[in-house]
DNA sequence: TAAACGCGTTGGAGGAGGCG
DNA sequence: CGCCTCCTCCAACGCGTTTA
């Protein structure tokens, strides 16, 4: 009885529990639909004329560390609408808990989709086995593809940069919507013409954040002459950092004079400071040796 | 090492026929 | 008329192999 109460709380809405038992491979929940009628997928009319019943076996979310399969006592209905081409159909479930042809419940399919999306095929398959939801790498990738790409919202503020398909071998271009904070396109290479062609299809773009190289700047200038071009945050910081270091490096003599040169006495340093100082002395000796040998033609 | 591909297997969907 | 069995078709799946 306690099993019955527990399982009844876990089955999807629209189904009634028939049986619940343990098997050699996990848990098995037998359910039947509670609705009296079903909607013909062809003409949309409702019917209560049952043609036959059969059993469908569906994978479901694991329970208490055990794989769960749902045995659904599915019905086939007759469509009696005269002009309708379909005469017999398997009942559809309105809340989408079980889709036609599905071998998993919708809630398990959602888990499979997110695993595939987050980890890829094989890593997700290994993880899924540990989650007691064994699926193949192919199925995980199919689940991701089946749901297709997310909708495309024309961007207004974008960031563009190159990225490596394989480092030092092949590079592509990544474009991000900076308002949505999401990557929106991967281009196959980093050629200006490729980026320019993509820009041409997006005349609504108002701001292009890019690197310091000339390629993307040229592509944006040609395709989007009215768009503002700005250095992206990373390259801005890189520029500022480099300019600061150059300014400091060129002014070290007056800076040392201003703060007063100090002679370091190692005996007065802490252990950590002494290690740091000794490393500095070693590097200076190495650099001096290299300069001397180079000057002598080595 | 992971993704893609080809292919065989499994089982869900739809229809025909038959029985009570 | 309700519902069962049986059959065919094909979507979903997993496995072995190839490709990157």
């Amino acid at each position: 009885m306690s099993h019955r109460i527990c399982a009844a709380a876990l089955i999807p809405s629209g189904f009634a529990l028939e049986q619940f038992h343990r098997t050699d491979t996990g848990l098995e929940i037998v359910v039947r639909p509670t609705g009296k009628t079903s909607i013909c997928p062809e003409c949309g009319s409702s019917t209560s004329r049952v043609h036959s019943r059969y059993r469908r076996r569906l994978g479901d979310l694991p329970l208490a560390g055990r794989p769960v399969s749902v045995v659904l006592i599915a019905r086939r209905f007759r469509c009696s609408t005269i002009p309708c081409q379909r005469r017999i159909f398997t009942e559809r479930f309105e809340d989408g808990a079980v889709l036609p042809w599905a071998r998993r419940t919708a809630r398990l399919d959602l888990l499979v989709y997110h695993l595939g999306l987050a980890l890829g095929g094989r890593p997700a398959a290994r993880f899924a086995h540990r989650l007691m939801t064994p699926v193949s790498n192919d199925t995980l990738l199919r689940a991701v593809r089946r749901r297709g790409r997310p909708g495309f919202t024309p961007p207004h503020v974008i960031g563009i940069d190159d990225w490596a398909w394989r480092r030092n071998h092949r590079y592509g271009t990544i474009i991000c919507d900076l308002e949505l904070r999401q990557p929106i396109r991967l281009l196959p290479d980093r050629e200006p013409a490729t980026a320019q062609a993509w820009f041409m299809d997006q005349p609504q773009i108002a701001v292009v954040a890019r690197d310091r190289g000339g390629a993307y700047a040229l592509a944006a200038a040609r395709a989007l002459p009215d768009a503002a071009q700005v250095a992206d945050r990373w390259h801005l910081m890189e520029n500022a950092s480099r300019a600061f270091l150059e300014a400091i490096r060129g002014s070290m003599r007056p800076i040392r004079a201003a703060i007063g040169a100090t002679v370091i006495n190692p005996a007065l340093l802490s252990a950590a400071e002494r290690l740091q100082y000794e490393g500095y002395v070693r590097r200076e000796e190495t650099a001096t040796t290299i300069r001397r040998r180079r000057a002598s033609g080595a």
Side-chain angles (χ1 to χ4, degrees):
Chain A
M1 189 59 189
S2 59
H3 277 174
R4 213 181 160 80
I5 293 166
C6 171
L10 293 168
I11 62 174
S13 62
F15 297 92
L17 179 68
E18 288 285 304
Q19 293 169 29
F20 175 65
H21 43 80
R22 272 175 69 166
T23 65
D24 293 340
T25 54
L27 304 172
E28 192 174 274
I29 302 173
V30 183
V31 300
R32 60 177 168 75
T34 52
K36 300 290 182 197
T37 61
S38 188
I39 305 292
C40 172
E42 197 77 24
C43 67
S45 60
S46 177
T47 177
S48 60
R49 295 182 58 201
V50 176
H51 167 273
S52 59
R53 290 181 172 80
Y54 69 102
R55 293 187 164 221
R56 283 176 68 179
R57 181 173 290 274
L58 302 148
D60 198 12
L61 295 173
L63 179 62
R66 294 174 186 280
V68 173
S69 55
V70 172
V71 177
L72 169 59
I73 302 173
R75 294 171 294 185
R76 281 192 276 252
F77 285 85
R78 290 185 190 279
C79 181
S80 44
T81 307
I82 299 299
C84 185
Q85 301 271 319
R86 184 70 65 83
R87 302 172 65 184
I88 296 155
F89 65 90
T90 298
E91 71 181 303
R92 267 54 173 173
F93 302 101
E94 285 179 31
D95 61 355
V98 178
L99 295 174
W101 297 97
R103 299 197 186 182
R104 290 181 293 274
T105 57
R107 58 192 183 186
L108 177 58
D109 196 60
L110 187 65
L111 176 72
V112 168
Y113 163 72
H114 281 295
L115 278 176
L117 195 62
L119 301 176
R122 285 196 188 183
R126 286 195 293 269
F127 193 50
H129 275 78
R130 298 182 71 173
L131 291 177
M132 299 296 159
T133 53
V135 284
S136 73
N137 52 333
D138 289 289
T139 298
L140 283 147
L141 294 178
R142 273 190 283 250
V144 172
R145 288 195 199 98
R146 198 157 42 220
R147 290 177 187 245
R149 295 183 190 175
F152 180 75
T153 307
H156 293 91
V157 181
I158 62 117
I160 185 168
D161 204 353
D162 58 358
W163 67 285
W165 291 93
R166 192 177 163 202
R167 211 167 182 182
N168 298 324
H169 285 79
R170 186 178 158 218
Y171 288 85
T173 297
I174 183 169
I175 299 168
C176 296
D177 186 322
L178 297 184
E179 292 177 301
L180 296 176
R181 294 169 173 266
Q182 282 177 356
I184 52 173
R185 274 293 178 273
L186 295 178
L187 304 181
D189 54 47
R190 54 179 176 182
E191 298 301 317
T194 308
Q196 186 178 335
W198 189 84
F199 283 144
M200 294 289 269
D201 292 335
Q202 309 296 328
Q204 77 288 343
I205 291 175
V207 179
V208 177
R210 55 166 178 78
D211 61 9
R212 292 171 299 169
Y216 295 132
L218 188 67
R222 283 180 176 163
L224 304 166
D226 297 331
Q229 294 193 30
V230 299
D232 65 46
R233 189 182 301 174
W234 189 88
H235 288 102
L236 203 62
M237 292 304 293
E238 168 77 358
N239 283 355
S241 171
R242 183 168 295 187
F244 175 75
L245 288 173
E246 279 175 10
I248 294 294
R249 206 172 286 131
S251 310
M252 279 311 289
R253 199 179 295 275
I255 290 172
R256 284 206 187 91
I259 62 175
T262 53
V263 177
I264 295 172
N265 181 356
L268 300 177
L269 297 177
S270 69
E273 286 170 337
R274 194 177 306 126
L275 273 175
Q276 193 175 15
Y277 176 70
E278 286 167 1
Y280 162 73
V281 170
R282 274 199 305 278
R283 284 193 297 279
E284 277 298 300
E285 286 171 356
T286 305
T288 304
T289 304
I290 290 170
R291 279 194 290 270
R292 193 163 51 234
R293 289 191 182 179
R294 187 177 178 186
S296 65

